Amino acid sequence: MTFGIPREAEIAVAGHGAAATAVADVRPPAGPGAAAGGANPAAPPEAAPVAPAAARPVAPQAGGSAFDDHGGEPFGAGTPHAQARIDLAAIRANVSRLCDAAGSAEVMAVVKADGYGHGMVAAARAALAGGATWVGVAGMREALALRAAGVPGRLLAWLLTPGDDWNAAVAAGVELSAGAEWAVRAAVRAAHAVGRPARLHLEAETGLGRGGATAGDWPTLVDTAARAEAAGSVQVVGVWSHLARADEPGHPGCDRQLANFRNAAELARRAGLTPEVLHLSNSAATLTLPEARFDLVRPGLAVYGLSPVPGPGGPAELGLRPAMTLTARLASVKRVPAGHGVSYGHRYRTPRETTLGLVPVGYADGVPRHASEAGPVLVAGRRHRVAGTVCMDQFVVDLGDVPATPGDEVVLFGPGDRGEPGAQDWARAAHTISHEIVTRIGARVPRTYTGGTISDAH
């Protein structure tokens, strides 16, 4: 089978659950937005001014946009109350950076979980255009959805169950993981059913304590796969595992897993297998652990411009740019007196007379409830925190005396060009990781795409 690289930055709206809208090749304005007037010295303590970062040049927005300054006039029908803007150029650039870091190893861009919330099909195409030669997903249904959308290239699915459609996957040229004998047998049955060998990657348990064959089971798995390969039913094209603590550079557990992985690969070779690729590295190892890169690396989070390792510099320190900007529009603005309770349980009461802004997204859209009274947002060039409890469909921001109007933009997180918070800031507020922040953004939030040419929208 011959695989080609797709047209650069072809935009496709992923159908893997996320509502989406395609937009032209423009980026959102980099300025701080509307908001007349400066900061009021009597603003509540959670409002702190920030200096806008230097903005990238942007292309003019032909024909205007629903996100132009509305001057107090109503928005047009159908204007989204929230959206996740995905910069495909950032994904391409991040993958190019990862290719440089990987050296001689190939790069598999991991696009599981709807491309970490960015849109699986669009992310896969942008990653391939950026230099990735493989695409990786967790489940078989994700892999089949990519093939149905016409995404080419080598494609691996690894979190498989006996009830999956193994026949369809083998027929579509999806490469499959096998970490136990039953998976090899399932692959053999599928190969016989569709009349072509199944391509397998054998998974070794090297210390993560998750999937893969343990050291005691590995010889049996390898022998079973070798016999199936000798019979022409499968091709063992890879041996792989996953690191537990790659985000802790220098941790001795990484060295132990490396040693275990090398032993597993050597046992596979002694059994007569000649895998094309050995792969172990995730995003963190790709960037910080050269000895773990082997023939192929599997970055996920870093593809989307988020940092996989602790560090004060964040993504920029690693040469990455966040690709998702999550915004909403104020649905209501009202003046309230001091001592006014806000949201369920009145966990927050206004310290003085102030302006409250209602943001029409909530935990049903992926805004973490654990970030109540802590989640940061940018309104009119100033940072504020969520006031009170995050609700299912909405949360409140205490704007102090900052002028605001219904329809004004609220930036929950983005790359930081306008001084807005990042996904990692929300992760800290919710006591979680940035992976969860971006992947949990739900289907009610449409995805829009910039940094490419519209050629497909479905």
Side-chain angles (χ1 to χ4, degrees):
M1 180 178 292
T2 301
F3 296 104
I5 299 299
R7 294 183 296 276
E8 180 170 336
E10 178 176 336
I11 295 181
V13 176
H16 193 61
T21 305
V23 298
D25 183 13
V26 295
R27 293 176 175 82
N40 190 306
E46 65 268 24
V50 292
R56 294 182 300 162
V58 297
Q61 197 159 5
S65 164
F67 296 94
D68 292 340
D69 182 8
H70 56 87
E73 294 300 317
F75 285 83
T79 299
H81 68 272
Q83 66 172 325
R85 304 172 189 158
I86 312 302
D87 184 353
L88 298 179
I91 292 177
R92 293 196 304 273
N94 294 333
V95 171
S96 178
R97 160 76 179 105
L98 292 163
C99 288
D100 290 341
S104 60
E106 294 185 74
V107 172
M108 175 191 294
V110 178
V111 299
K112 63 181 181 176
D114 197 25
Y116 284 56
H118 293 67
M120 179 174 66
V121 174
R125 288 180 170 154
L128 290 168
T133 52
W134 296 63
V135 174
V137 293
M140 199 178 284
R141 291 182 65 186
E142 294 175 312
L144 293 173
L146 286 171
R147 284 292 190 246
V151 174
R154 296 189 73 169
L155 171 59
L156 173 65
W158 54 76
L159 189 59
L160 311 178
T161 67
D164 283 325
D165 194 344
W166 291 71
N167 291 4
V170 172
V174 177
E175 303 186 26
L176 305 169
S177 173
E181 284 187 273
W182 72 261
V184 177
R185 292 193 294 267
V188 169
R189 288 193 296 270
H192 293 167
V194 303
R196 64 181 295 179
R199 294 170 66 82
L200 294 184
H201 294 240
L202 303 184
E203 182 185 7
E205 158 64 277
T206 59
L208 177 60
R210 210 167 63 177
T214 64
D217 293 334
W218 182 252
T220 301
L221 174 63
V222 165
D223 181 66
T224 301
R227 285 187 280 108
E229 185 172 75
S233 300
V234 306
Q235 296 173 336
V236 176
V237 295
V239 170
W240 75 286
S241 189
H242 197 60
L243 292 166
R245 307 185 80 154
D247 57 347
E248 302 175 58
H251 193 280
C254 294
D255 291 335
R256 288 193 293 270
Q257 283 199 257
L258 272 166
N260 292 340
F261 183 67
R262 290 189 178 102
N263 288 339
E266 179 58 29
L267 285 172
R269 291 193 181 98
R270 289 179 187 172
L273 298 175
T274 56
E276 300 171 28
V277 289
L278 306 180
H279 49 109
L280 179 66
S281 289
N282 56 8
S283 289
T286 299
L287 292 165
T288 67
L289 197 61
E291 59 269 36
R293 291 171 189 154
F294 294 99
D295 308 299
L296 176 68
V297 296
R298 305 185 310 268
L301 188 70
V303 168
Y304 309 98
L306 300 175
S307 175
V309 293
E317 185 178 36
L318 297 171
L320 304 172
R321 178 175 175 79
M324 180 188 290
T325 299
L326 181 64
T327 64
R329 291 282 163 184
L330 289 176
S332 171
V333 176
K334 62 185 177 185
R335 198 75 178 163
V336 300
H340 197 81
V342 176
S343 193
Y344 290 126
H346 287 179
R347 294 168 62 179
Y348 178 82
R349 289 186 178 273
T350 57
R352 60 174 182 79
E353 183 183 349
T354 190
T355 298
L356 298 180
L358 185 66
V359 184
V361 289
Y363 60 77
D365 304 291
V367 178
R369 194 171 184 271
H370 282 355
S372 296
E373 298 204 60
V377 300
L378 186 77
V379 183
R382 295 173 61 85
R383 282 207 191 189
H384 305 267
R385 291 198 303 269
V386 173
T389 302
V390 173
C391 307
M392 183 179 289
D393 312 297
Q394 56 204 286
F395 64 84
V396 178
V397 177
D398 186 338
L399 298 173
D401 294 323
V402 174
T405 304
D408 284 353
E409 185 179 67
V410 179
V411 185
L412 281 77
F413 59 80
D417 294 343
R418 294 178 283 174
E420 75 272 17
Q424 184 57 42
D425 294 312
W426 274 87
R428 281 190 287 267
H431 306 288
T432 185
I433 55 177
S434 57
H435 309 57
E436 184 178 356
I437 297 300
V438 291
T439 57
R440 69 185 295 156
I441 302 305
R444 296 198 305 185
V445 179
R447 273 62 168 170
T448 62
Y449 295 92
T450 65
T453 301
I454 296 176
S455 58
D456 193 16
H458 55 276

